Amino acid sequence: MTQTFGSSDTPSAILEAARLQLRVIGALVLRETRTRFGTSRLGYLWALSEPIVHVMVLNIVYIAMLRRPPTGTSLALFFITGILPYFVFDKTATRLSGAISANRALLQLALVKNVDVIVGRALLELGTVIIVFLILMTGLYALGHLDSNVVLQPLIMAQAIGLGWLLGLGIGSINAVMSAVIKSWDMVYRMVTRPLYLLSGVFFMVERIPQPFSTYLRYNPVLHAIEMFRSAFYPSYGQYSIDVPYLAAWSFGTVALGFSLERLLRRRLSAAV
């Protein structure tokens, strides 16, 4: 017996639905930009300056302690290559916590789904960090603070940022769902993950940490994203500590878990809107 498919099942209809969903997400990114930063340039300035302040503070502390960079000759570059991938994960994961609860009115529109507001907010965080990275690298180059032995590997850099962002998207989507149904979830998450900044290799090389502590640190997937990102700048950096399959498993696994959780609790989330 021949099975008849409806017009909604044709490739052209599926493609048009995908285009519509992409336009929805694009509109949500613009809306999130206006909501977060407003019309004031000061909001944009703070978003761009926060990682810069982190780099400056770490530089001042290390210079005051007469410390040298763990690798290379530029303290600023070493800290930038740690802070930027960390921010890709951390800002995405934390900002997504309120993605559903903060858009309850918008989610009443038939075209807007929970996943749309999650992805839209995550894309805004990714774009912000990329802009910050370009500004910082341009500043380092202009000031002559790039290491002479740095060999940039854009593909590895993009892979590290992509996997770190996916990890943030996965954890963030879980946070978005749980925060919408458990009021205190966001506070608990921030409390539990606060030590990650100190344990993810932002300002140290895991290879120089003695055993068994270095082994314990490698269970942290964020550390692998940072080590991988740094390896795009420093030759032979992290060749014994980076586990890309482990990081990828965490990244894609948490995205699958977060989106599955949204699907499982969709009726409860809709009832709460």
Side-chain angles (χ1 to χ4, degrees), residues 153-162 227-233:
Q153 302 180 69
L155 183 58
I156 295 177
M157 191 187 312
Q159 289 174 341
I161 289 296
E227 293 279 291
M228 186 179 179
F229 187 75
R230 279 209 180 108
S231 71
F233 292 81

Side-chain angles (χ1 to χ4, degrees), residues 5 9 37 45 66 69 119 181 191 203 206 214 234 241 272:
F5 292 90
D9 296 316
F37 302 121
L45 182 61
L66 302 178
V119 173
V181 297
M191 187 187 313
F203 48 85
V206 68
S214 60
Y234 301 102
S241 59

Side-chain angles (χ1 to χ4, degrees), residues 59 63 67-79 140 144-150 208 233-234:
N59 265 275
I63 291 173
R67 298 280 298 275
R68 295 176 56 84
T71 188
T73 59
S74 172
L75 277 170
L77 180 62
F78 183 81
F79 293 140
L140 281 185
H145 287 305
L146 281 178
D147 288 342
S148 58
N149 63 338
V150 164
R208 297 188 179 182
F233 292 81
Y234 301 102

Side-chain angles (χ1 to χ4, degrees), residues 8-258:
S8 60
D9 296 316
T10 64
S12 59
I14 294 174
L15 183 60
E16 182 58 32
R19 289 175 178 171
L20 177 61
Q21 215 61 35
L22 287 176
R23 287 198 293 268
V24 170
I25 293 175
L28 287 171
V29 172
L30 294 177
R31 182 181 181 275
E32 286 289 342
T33 303
R34 297 191 188 98
T35 302
R36 178 176 169 188
F37 302 121
T39 57
S40 172
R41 295 181 181 178
L42 190 60
Y44 290 97
L45 182 61
W46 170 244
L48 299 177
S49 64
E50 186 180 3
I52 298 175
V53 170
H54 278 252
V55 173
M56 291 177 60
V57 169
L58 287 173
N59 265 275
I60 293 172
V61 170
Y62 266 61
I63 291 173
M65 297 172 61
L66 302 178
R67 298 280 298 275
R68 295 176 56 84
T71 188
T73 59
S74 172
L75 277 170
L77 180 62
F78 183 81
F79 293 140
I80 287 171
T81 55
I83 288 172
L84 265 295
Y86 178 79
F87 268 45
V88 166
F89 161 76
D90 181 66
K91 294 301 180 183
T92 304
T94 54
R95 298 284 186 190
L96 293 189
S97 293
I100 295 176
S101 56
N103 290 281
R104 295 190 186 278
L106 190 63
L107 287 168
Q108 294 179 359
L109 301 176
L111 287 177
V112 182
K113 311 299 182 184
N114 294 326
V115 172
D116 296 333
V117 297
I118 290 172
V119 173
R121 185 170 287 196
L123 287 173
L124 175 59
E125 296 305 323
L126 176 63
T128 302
V129 172
I130 290 175
I131 292 172
V132 170
F133 172 72
L134 294 175
I135 292 174
L136 286 172
M137 293 303 295
T138 301
L140 281 185
Y141 179 79
L143 296 172
H145 287 305
L146 281 178
D147 288 342
S148 58
N149 63 338
V150 164
V151 180
L152 295 180
Q153 302 180 69
L155 183 58
I156 295 177
M157 191 187 312
Q159 289 174 341
I161 289 296
L163 289 174
W165 178 73
L166 281 175
L167 181 62
L169 174 61
I171 299 296
S173 61
I174 295 171
N175 287 338
V177 174
M178 298 305 295
S179 295
V181 297
I182 303 176
K183 300 303 181 183
S184 59
W185 178 266
D186 186 51
M187 181 181 65
V188 173
Y189 171 79
R190 290 175 184 271
M191 187 187 313
V192 171
T193 59
R194 188 166 296 174
L196 279 180
Y197 186 79
L198 302 176
L199 301 175
S200 298
V202 172
F203 48 85
F204 65 85
M205 293 177 60
V206 68
E207 295 176 0
R208 297 188 179 182
I209 303 297
Q211 292 285 359
F213 303 107
S214 60
T215 299
Y216 299 150
L217 289 173
R218 289 189 180 98
Y219 285 106
N220 175 10
V222 183
L223 181 140
H224 294 276
I226 292 175
E227 293 279 291
M228 186 179 179
F229 187 75
R230 279 209 180 108
S231 71
F233 292 81
Y234 301 102
S236 70
Y237 181 92
Q239 57 183 330
Y240 301 113
S241 59
I242 300 171
D243 190 340
V244 178
Y246 179 76
L247 172 61
W250 265 93
S251 299
F252 289 104
T254 53
V255 169
L257 178 60

